[in-house]
Amino acid sequence: MGELAWRFDERELRNVRQVLESGLTSGTSGSMNSRLERAFSRRLGLKYAVTFNSGTTTLHAALWALGVRPGDEVITTPLTVISCMNAILYCQAIPVFADVNPETFLIDPKDVARKVTDRTRAIMPVHLYGQVCEMDKIVSIAERHDLGIVKDCAQCFLGTYHGKMAGAWGDVGSWSFENSKHLTTGDGGIVACNDEELAVRIRRAGTQGFKNVTAESGRVRLDKSVFQDPSYKRHSAFGFMYRLPEVAAAIGLAQLEKIDWFSEKRQKMALRYREIIENCPLFAAQKPWPGETHAYWSYAARFVAADIAWKDFRRTYVENGGDGIYAAWTLSYLEDSIPDVKEYLRLLGLEKRFSAAPGQCPNAELIQPQIMQFTTNQGDEDGMENQVRALEKTIKHFIG
């Protein structure tokens, strides 16, 4: 067998082998999901965790479990992956976009407060690039208006705000196990919360509404003599099919054992970038909160040079050995999918309440084209050093 990629070792192989030797049992009875859920909730300091097949279905199930239904409104940021907008639409609800702070790139609580209406049901802050939003202010808004909070923590493993981990704020947190994230199962996700009833609703939402599931367990076949009775009724709620396969859970459990190592590597790489960028006139880096842990899914900075093209800088960086610079996502309400969204909402009679008008989030529209995302998931010291040298050479090329 060939050499494993740097993120994987014998621990993943051991766990996957256990699943295969067990006969690849169904996710409705498998132990790897349960083990991953227990270990994740303990590590994050929360009572309950539920695995999912993606970091998008986590958001959908969490919103659904909080009671978001057709015609409700959910406030989120447009400066993020489109999953956030889509998860709201999956509930046949209306995405409402709040602007961002141009220094932190995070959703602006003041604009969140301005966007609340009597139809608002929840707020979805996104801890972009690994920095936790101003959750004290967002929680205050939510409590004042009796709103749910679903935190998109996909890029924020172990990040803190006011000394508390990202998942500790609000109702429920959602993490992604997609390939670029701190921990990966290839694809997948997990939610965590402290409310037992909410955890049950989330699990039912992701497992076809099976009545036997609990906050701690996704097992549905507890007694064959009962389960195989023709009069037995399996489902107590409407739900979806979002389970994480046992093989993926096996990989995730092994990955979780290395979460501190993964996090420290990203923070170390981010520090190397920061040493170069923070005093360079070409950039305005994402402003971190003093004394807090930034998870640094990537190191993000605005490219503010007036006379150098974004694409020219990136091209030169790659020529100098850099592994590429990622652009920020097009703002959700400016994406090419918006005509489809409007048609979908038209069929529901809701299209007049959805705004995709340019200008509604001016700060986000200003900074999105400027943002450069520098990768932080290098496998070894040589890889890290290559990025540092490439960045130094590129800056020197343009400004000496």
Side-chain angles (χ1 to χ4, degrees):
M1 186 169 66
E3 184 177 344
L4 294 173
W6 70 269
R7 299 179 71 173
F8 307 107
D9 56 35
E10 286 298 321
R11 284 170 281 194
E12 283 86 359
L13 292 176
R14 174 200 65 205
N15 288 357
V16 170
R17 189 176 294 115
Q18 286 183 25
V19 174
L20 297 178
E21 289 173 350
S22 75
L24 203 63
T25 55
S26 167
T28 59
S29 58
S31 65
M32 285 296 176
N33 275 279
S34 296
R35 289 170 61 186
L36 174 56
E37 289 167 352
R38 289 194 298 269
F40 190 89
S41 61
R42 284 197 303 267
R43 185 64 183 84
L44 272 291
L46 296 164
K47 292 181 180 179
Y48 309 105
V50 184
T51 52
F52 281 80
N53 60 6
S54 79
T56 302
T57 56
T58 51
L59 297 172
H60 179 204
L63 290 170
W64 188 263
L66 284 171
V68 175
R69 294 295 185 269
D72 289 340
E73 295 176 0
V74 179
I75 300 172
T76 192
T77 172
L79 183 59
T80 185
V81 67
I82 206 167
S83 300
C84 296
M85 179 180 78
N86 286 349
I88 297 165
L89 291 166
Y90 296 162
C91 295
Q92 299 183 9
I94 308 295
V96 175
F97 301 103
D99 208 353
V100 301
N101 180 323
E103 293 186 336
T104 66
F105 312 165
L106 303 175
I107 195 167
D108 180 358
K110 292 180 181 178
D111 203 37
V112 171
R114 285 190 288 266
K115 299 294 174 65
V116 173
T117 72
D118 57 1
R119 289 170 168 167
T120 306
R121 184 71 178 182
I123 306 169
M124 186 189 291
V126 178
H127 302 325
L128 198 66
Y129 303 127
Q131 175 148 281
V132 183
C133 297
E134 295 175 90
M135 290 307 302
D136 54 342
K137 298 176 183 177
I138 292 171
V139 168
S140 178
I141 295 167
E143 290 177 345
R144 190 159 63 247
H145 297 281
D146 192 25
L147 306 176
I149 300 177
V150 176
K151 301 150 294 179
D152 184 346
C153 311
Q155 301 173 4
C156 191
F157 289 78
L158 307 186
T160 66
Y161 181 73
H162 287 192
K164 295 166 61 175
M165 280 197 194
W169 297 91
D171 295 289
V172 56
S174 162
W175 289 261
S176 170
F177 293 150
E178 181 267 338
N179 190 52
S180 71
K181 302 305 189 292
H182 288 65
L183 310 181
T184 186
T185 60
D187 230 326
I190 196 166
V191 298
C193 66
N194 283 321
D195 185 296
E196 183 176 5
E197 290 186 10
L198 178 58
V200 172
R201 292 199 300 272
I202 291 171
R203 195 182 293 279
R204 284 185 177 150
T207 56
Q208 302 281 32
F210 274 106
K211 67 181 181 182
N212 281 341
V213 299
T214 67
E216 297 91 349
S217 173
R219 292 188 63 194
V220 301
R221 299 169 185 168
L222 304 182
D223 183 339
K224 280 190 177 182
S225 65
V226 174
F227 194 83
Q228 295 178 1
D229 189 303
S231 65
Y232 178 71
K233 297 188 187 327
R234 294 162 170 77
H235 308 279
S236 61
F238 173 72
F240 312 91
M241 180 44 67
Y242 291 157
R243 288 199 308 257
L244 183 69
E246 278 286 279
V247 168
I251 295 171
L253 183 62
Q255 289 271 291
L256 184 61
E257 295 179 21
K258 298 176 275 190
I259 187 171
D260 292 295
W261 181 63
F262 287 139
S263 297
E264 289 165 6
K265 284 174 68 67
R266 288 185 185 253
Q267 289 162 359
K268 184 176 180 180
M269 186 69 245
L271 179 60
R272 301 294 302 278
Y273 288 132
R274 190 176 73 187
E275 290 170 346
I276 300 169
I277 284 176
E278 65 179 355
N279 294 315
C280 176
L282 301 180
F283 295 97
Q286 183 184 32
K287 185 178 179 180
W289 305 125
E292 302 292 351
T293 299
H294 191 309
Y296 285 114
W297 174 72
S298 68
Y299 187 86
R302 295 167 58 187
F303 186 66
V304 294
D307 55 353
I308 304 169
W310 193 103
K311 291 181 180 179
D312 288 344
F313 188 93
R314 182 190 182 279
R315 183 178 62 252
T316 304
Y317 178 70
V318 173
E319 290 172 352
N320 285 330
D323 63 2
I325 299 170
Y326 288 84
W329 315 264
T330 297
L331 300 186
S332 297
Y333 61 80
L334 298 179
E335 267 291 358
D336 286 346
S337 62
I338 291 302
D340 280 353
V341 169
K342 289 182 176 179
E343 174 61 14
Y344 170 68
L345 292 174
R346 185 191 67 79
L347 295 172
L348 300 171
L350 299 171
E351 76 279 7
K352 292 182 180 179
R353 292 179 45 210
F354 173 71
S355 175
Q360 61 182 293
C361 296
N363 289 336
E365 292 180 27
L366 169 68
I367 72 173
Q368 181 274 329
Q370 300 173 332
I371 291 175
M372 290 185 165
Q373 300 173 183
F374 293 89
T375 60
T376 57
N377 60 339
Q378 284 69 35
D380 55 29
E381 291 288 338
D382 287 343
M384 296 169 70
E385 191 61 34
N386 287 342
Q387 304 316 304
V388 170
R389 286 198 300 267
L391 183 56
E392 289 175 333
K393 288 175 64 177
T394 303
I395 291 173
K396 186 175 182 180
H397 171 83
F398 284 105
I399 63 174

